[in-house]
Amino acid sequence: MHSSQNEQDSRFYGKFALIPILEPSNQQEAYDMMKVAFEMSEKLQEPVLLRVVTRLAHSRAAVEVGAQGDENAFNPSTGRGWVLLPGIAKKQYAALLEKQPLMLEAAENSPYNRNEKSGTKLGVVACGIGYNYVKEAIANFKIDGINLLKISQYPLPESKILDLAAECEEILVVEDGQPVVETDVKTIVGDKATVIGRLTGQLPRTGELDPDSVSKALGYETQSPLGTAKNLAGRPPQLCQGCGHRDVYTALKEVAAEYEGARIFGDIGCYTLGALPPFQALASCVDMGASITMAKGAADAGLFPSIAVIGDSTFTHSGMTGLLDAVNDNSNITVIISDNLTTAMTGGQDSAGTNKFEAICLGLGVSPDHVKVVTPTPPNIPEIKRIIKEEIEYNGVSVIIPRRECMQTLMRHRKQAKKQ
Ligand SMILES: Cc1ncc(C[n+]2csc(CCOP(=O)(O)OP(=O)(O)O)c2C)c(N)n1
Ligand code: SF4
């Protein structure tokens, strides 16, 4: 599975790795395909990529569940196939190439790749969730004359696409993400048909597909409730009232304002909302753990003060290695590990490093005089400002750990305690 805040398309990874991809068009398929993916993977002895797009990942529906698989069926390989020394890796690559016809055959015969025809006027290749939107438009506008090819299993079933090109002069490709299939279909059909979609402007090049854009590409304008929703004023997300991250940013912003060149490098979690008003404090948020490495790079290049803000979970996920690097190079950075004792943004799961952060920082070599713990509350803001300023002025790696529980998990824990 793949998650990204931008529009990178994980199907590229599947193509690159020469492995099958399954792309569900609805919730039931998402459920069923997970089992199919495991079975396929066992049979081929290769990974299988399951691609889920935003709208599907953010939706809920009742699904029919199948029989539970055998949990003892896991059969770890006994060979050396996964020991990828160059000599073995070369053989594995040849073996992977040999499996390609099997993967193509499976896709050609897959029940997830099927032709549904009501005519031959327009050929439509609908991938994953795109199929849902096309079916919705067909039902809403009682569209006749479509030669629809549903694609939910890759590699692309080339003969099915050629069959479509033999019957239709024009083929619309409906896919969420980047024009991966559109480009490939163009290559497969050559001059046998004109291929249209995101590249040619019939569908927007950016953003998710939606029922309106797909209906429009099929030649039908809609007035769906989505159109109205688009006219509503935006309500950007905000840190909760009483959140400790707020007090951290209030203090940090005031101190940073005293330095002309200050930059605060952010990371991923609730505290990323420090990038938005009223704080607008962050200069970057690139990927999990990048705050410390970016601050280090900037400090090494001469930027001062160079400050990183990272959450407790993100720090143990991928911030620790960057901190070790900064210690080894004695980089002049101030790292703030905003510890709310949980992984708040993803729903309040436990955080792997709770109660261990001071020990981790000392273990990585941060000087004991420059690991400071504070409690981020409004009355403590003057003291927090003083400590931030002191640590900025220290020439080396310093870590400040503001620690106070997330308001959401605090309320949940209180409710649970009352029940007991
Ligand atoms: C590579 C990667 N894995 C997982 C995620 C999903 N994710 C978003 S925020 C987050 C953790 C946030 O926890 P923390 O750093 O403690 O900050 P908080 O939300 O508690 O303020 C995770 C795992 C992601 N964005 N990127
Ligand atoms: S969920 Fe918790 S960490 Fe996230 S904004 Fe709300 S109080 Fe802050």
Side-chain angles (χ1 to χ4, degrees), residues 3 245 268-271 288 310-315 317 338 340 342-346 351:
S3 111
H245 295 321
I268 300 177
C270 280
Y271 53 95
M288 292 281 275
I310 187 165
D312 48 309
S313 292
T314 308
F315 177 71
H317 178 281
S338 198
N340 55 5
T342 188
T343 315
M345 187 169 230
T346 50
S351 180

Side-chain angles (χ1 to χ4, degrees), residues 81-218:
W82 293 102
V83 185
L84 294 178
L85 294 165
I88 300 174
K90 279 179 195 160
K91 283 191 194 134
Q92 289 294 82
Y93 180 53
L96 180 62
L97 290 180
E98 267 175 35
K99 292 176 193 171
Q100 296 305 300
L102 282 178
M103 295 179 198
L104 182 61
E105 194 191 325
E108 294 281 6
N109 299 318
S110 167
Y112 295 123
N113 295 338
R114 58 171 187 265
N115 190 263
E116 295 173 14
K117 207 164 160 181
S118 68
T120 54
K121 269 193 278 181
L122 176 66
V124 176
V125 172
C127 310
I129 201 168
Y131 171 76
N132 256 6
Y133 297 132
V134 172
K135 290 294 274 187
E136 196 174 317
I138 290 175
N140 281 348
F141 298 100
K142 302 189 176 42
I143 307 175
D144 230 1
I146 287 193
N147 196 339
L148 173 62
L149 175 59
K150 172 190 191 291
I151 302 270
S152 278
Q153 182 173 334
Y154 305 73
L156 282 178
E158 290 178 19
S159 66
K160 283 199 157 69
I161 290 165
L162 284 169
D163 288 349
L164 195 67
E167 294 189 356
C168 310
E169 280 174 18
E170 198 168 53
I171 297 175
L172 169 71
V173 179
V174 181
E175 60 188 321
D176 226 354
Q178 291 179 258
V180 177
V181 169
E182 190 177 338
T183 315
D184 282 353
V185 169
K186 257 190 205 305
T187 312
I188 292 168
V189 306
D191 55 10
K192 293 189 187 76
T194 310
V195 180
I196 57 173
R198 283 186 181 258
L199 281 176
T200 49
Q202 277 76 9
L203 284 162
R205 185 73 169 80
T206 61
E208 289 175 72
L209 295 175
D210 63 42
D212 288 353
S213 60
V214 174
S215 303
K216 201 169 163 205
L218 292 167

